[in-house]
Amino acid sequence: MRSLIGAAVAATTAAALAGCALFPDRVDENREARRIVEAYRVDAMLAQSAPIITDAVMANLPAGPGEDERERLRAAIHAAYDAERLEAAVAERLAEWARVQDRADALRHAAERLESELARDMIAREDAAADDQFAQGFQTFLQQPANDASDQAVRRMRGLADDLRLVELQTAFNLGMMQGMIAARNTVVSDDYSISPTNERMMLEETRAGLDMRLSQQIPVMLLYAYRDVDQARRAAYAELQHDEALRWVNRALAEALETALADAAERVAHLYQPPGA
């Protein structure tokens, strides 16, 4: 007959091999971070990175770099800003923030709420803002006269935008694009045409300040237009969902994770570039 100690050791080993059944409530930060990134459809935003940077850089390169250099630079940009790689990097950084700040519970709670029918529907409506038809309709919407009701609705959307951290998120993306353009351009131009680190910091700081001001005004109105077919009760329910403390923490951490991932991608461009003859 086995001893009680031996039986206990066997039971513990079996539980560990079965997937840590003794700790059923333990949160896998990486898995929950991926759920959040997928729920917010961050991949759709990141997929724009390589085309945006490539088009801007190619349009602004001086005459020096030849076609072979340009093609190699295009390849380096697309490799550095591969959408799947970027999405994984954002999720990894979000998971790391949760580990450092002991907020694994916030990740799981946020992921569950973002997978609700209400959140999926509202996020899909926000995604529509990326197409040309939305932009045309939004411009027409802006021409409509304001009234007390619309002013009140915009104020409510401002609160939602704050909880979503949309200004920080969009600013992080735009600054990431600028960093990528500068890094890519500096990779192939001579020192006479390159942008120094000091000038880059100044450009980024000035751009951040301008974006923060402009986006703070624009985004609440854009949200109002994106939700124009949603009744007030449903808008209020979504605002309440996003005002949850865990979601507000996740939204802030997500913007920071995006900014870090894009900055890292900018640094990779020069390392991935293969000059002719190399």
Side-chain angles (χ1 to χ4, degrees):
M1 180 180 294
R2 290 189 299 171
S3 69
L4 290 177
I5 294 176
V9 170
T12 302
T13 303
L17 294 175
C20 297
L22 293 178
F23 306 100
D25 293 327
R26 182 174 179 178
V27 178
D28 182 339
E29 294 93 345
N30 292 323
R31 182 188 63 232
E32 303 305 331
R34 289 193 297 270
R35 289 173 67 191
I36 289 166
V37 169
E38 290 172 4
Y40 273 131
R41 304 184 183 185
V42 175
D43 59 327
M45 172 186 283
L46 296 174
Q48 303 173 58
S49 302
I52 288 173
I53 294 171
T54 301
D55 290 348
V57 171
M58 295 305 157
N60 290 282
L61 280 179
E67 189 53 39
D68 188 15
E69 289 177 287
R70 290 169 181 261
E71 277 302 316
R72 290 167 180 266
L73 183 58
R74 288 188 187 97
I77 293 170
H78 280 267
Y81 289 88
D82 175 76
E84 290 186 5
R85 180 175 182 173
L86 278 178
E87 183 181 13
V90 172
E92 288 169 8
R93 282 155 181 77
L94 179 56
E96 183 60 24
W97 273 109
R99 280 190 287 269
V100 169
Q101 299 187 22
D102 193 23
R103 295 308 308 265
D105 59 329
L107 286 185
R108 180 165 62 182
H109 181 70
E112 290 171 352
R113 303 201 80 181
L114 290 173
E115 289 172 353
S116 67
E117 185 276 332
L118 172 62
R120 289 199 307 269
D121 174 54
M122 300 299 269
I123 292 169
R125 292 175 185 275
E126 294 164 20
D127 277 354
D131 63 42
D132 293 338
Q133 186 175 359
F134 181 96
Q136 294 170 2
F138 181 61
Q139 289 303 316
T140 302
F141 178 74
L142 289 176
Q143 305 307 314
Q144 298 176 6
N147 53 47
D148 290 343
S150 60
D151 287 344
Q152 185 177 11
V154 170
R155 284 195 295 272
R156 285 194 292 266
M157 290 300 100
R158 184 168 291 114
L160 175 57
D162 288 345
D163 288 340
L164 285 164
R165 297 283 176 165
L166 289 180
V167 172
E168 291 93 328
L169 194 68
Q170 288 296 326
T171 297
F173 181 76
N174 281 280
L175 291 178
M177 296 302 92
M178 177 175 283
Q179 287 177 294
M181 294 170 200
I182 293 172
R185 188 178 186 279
N186 282 353
T187 298
V188 296
V189 301
S190 66
D191 291 342
D192 292 337
Y193 290 98
S194 66
I195 297 172
S196 70
T198 299
N199 286 336
E200 179 180 357
R201 283 194 297 272
M202 291 176 58
M203 292 170 64
L204 291 172
E205 288 171 4
E206 291 174 1
T207 301
R208 184 187 295 276
L211 282 172
D212 284 347
M213 182 180 300
R214 180 163 56 86
L215 292 173
S216 294
Q217 297 172 345
Q218 289 183 350
I219 284 179
V221 185
M222 292 183 70
L223 277 181
L224 183 61
Y225 181 66
Y227 301 152
R228 62 195 180 279
D229 297 327
V230 179
D231 64 58
Q232 180 54 43
R234 194 166 175 82
R235 289 186 206 171
Y238 186 56
E240 182 180 355
L241 181 149
Q242 287 290 352
H243 194 61
D244 177 85
E245 190 276 333
L247 264 164
R248 285 186 285 125
W249 181 88
V250 164
N251 292 339
R252 181 174 64 252
L254 180 61
E256 294 171 352
L258 177 71
E259 185 166 354
T260 302
L262 290 175
D264 290 346
E267 292 185 2
R268 284 198 299 270
V269 174
H271 297 294
L272 293 170
Y273 175 72
Q274 296 292 322

